[in-house]
Amino acid sequence: MPTESDTHYDPSLGNKFIFVTGGVMSGLGKGITAASTGRLLKNAGFDVTAVKIDPYLNVDAGTMNPYQHGEVYVLEDGGEVDLDLGNYERFLDIDMTSDHNITTGKTYQHVIEQERAGDYLGKTVQIIPHITDDIKRRIREAAEGTDVCIIEVGGTVGDIEGMPYLEALRQFAHEEPEENVLFTHVTLVPYSKNGEQKTKPTQHSVKEVRSIGLQPDIIVGRCEDRLDPETKEKIALFCDIPTDAVFSNPDVEDVYHVPLMVEEEGLDQYVLEHFGMADEALPVGERANEWREIVTTEKEGTVDIALVGKYDLEDAYMSIHESLKHAGFEVGVDVDVHWVPADELADGHQGQLEGMDGVIVPGGFGMRGSEGKIEAVRYARENDVPFLGLCLGFQMAVVEYARNVLGLEDAHSAEMVEDTPHPVIDILPEQYEVEDMGGTMRLGEHTTVIEPETLAYDLYGDTSCSERHRHRYEVNPEYFDAFEDEPLVFSGTAGNRMEILELETHPYFVGTQFHPEYTSRPGQPSPPFLGLVEAVLEQSDAAGTEPADADADADTDAETEVTH
């Protein structure tokens, strides 16, 4: 919470709550809108946190296919959550916990457990008040100790699974002082064929919200361009809010520019005035400006990184894309990520890696694509291409080295091939008796001890690091001796567990059992990702070449098989 010297904020004013809902369609950018609002309030000196409500019946996102909800983002306490919480951590520069993700599965599970324990003293357990009370409790507990809590309700207004949450919000607003609650509704403003911005979808969406008993205080229109003044006036008239409470959120080149865009629209100032916090905020000239400086860094050239995965979906590797972007901010280059299907590399399509400045093999599960990932590792190792392996990518690097350098024929991970003659990757001992899939892996933040005088030490600048994990398998201790005198060394360990590997004879060959992408932030890039991009630039300098011009790359994107 801001100190008196920072903002003169009076804690007795209580928590402020911003509820963000969406209409018309999902995927409009509610999360980015919410995170951007939080970023601006943080710049103004306030302590901000966030909550993501996911109305699905899953307890958490851990067992979901990436095609359903994108990547599974892992929090420091081991919570497996929706990728929107990754955006909140990156935009707000905070570490969140599982308590900041509310799901229907969590809520119903808790209420049913209480009922089974007899805590309701014979009452009939119902959606109202028991489920809605639990939702409100979770929101208040997550907000404790902060000035502003932003709550994003997943899905769209009108979804049957979201109704208990909207009812809980209605009750919440009834229980809190009016000046402590603000409702933001994000909706689509499409163009007609004749180029007119159409407000009817917004009108119907707001009508649905109001039928539930909620009145938006702010409407954010998602459109290709800024909303025309006439469009804003029409939305205000039909949705019963002031014209200056209608804001544009147009398409931008980079999501990190959204805070700058809505700041120009005056969204932060409107929120502060609604909450009666404008006088307590830092003066505009004294507000933090680091975000603008970081995300508007002028770039000189482009580097091309191959991401060898099995999901043709950027959201499946969201944190990797963002971590590369953060590294690019730091060194002043654009990083173009090219998805390369792992399935095809196993069939001799390594030509897709030619011309790439670096290779990343990300995490994942299952046999599909594993042979292609091994071939990608081999290509990077044999051709001195900067390489970063993450979780499964780390494990596949071990398998590749065992097969092609140590001569352990048919070496593999026991996850992929149970009867492999050389299980250089095997299941964690504590996983032997585990039957349930959800929430049972080695999860969350764990400390890795780093050997001095290694590349890992140079990257982290310390003899230890704390990073987030999500895995069931690890390097088999029975094969430690086989690697003992090899150029491939394990430079980071956690007891008897191998956490970081590097290849001493290679320009940049690093693998991590953990997921460093989850702790990367604008202005604080993940060390392994920063090291990868710096290694690419060093190779360019050594070869006497410059990174490709960004404009020139734009002309050739159409020739790339799949480019994000």
Side-chain angles (χ1 to χ4, degrees), residues 381-395:
R381 180 180 60 81
E382 293 181 344
N383 292 279
D384 286 344
V385 177
F387 167 81
L388 178 60
L390 306 168
C391 197
L392 181 64
F394 162 90
Q395 296 173 3

Side-chain angles (χ1 to χ4, degrees), residues 420-458:
T420 174
H422 295 291
V424 291
I425 304 296
D426 206 352
I427 196 164
L428 297 168
E430 61 266 31
Q431 294 284 316
Y432 291 155
E433 305 300 323
V434 171
E435 295 182 1
D436 290 343
M437 292 186 67
T440 56
M441 286 183 275
R442 184 172 182 239
L443 292 165
E445 185 175 275
H446 297 275
T447 299
T448 294
V449 177
I450 299 173
E451 289 292 325
E453 300 182 6
T454 61
L455 175 56
Y457 178 84
D458 292 340

Side-chain angles (χ1 to χ4, degrees), residues 327-340:
F329 289 155
E330 190 74 9
V331 298
V333 298
D334 281 314
V335 181
D336 275 357
V337 182
H338 302 257
W339 180 71
V340 175

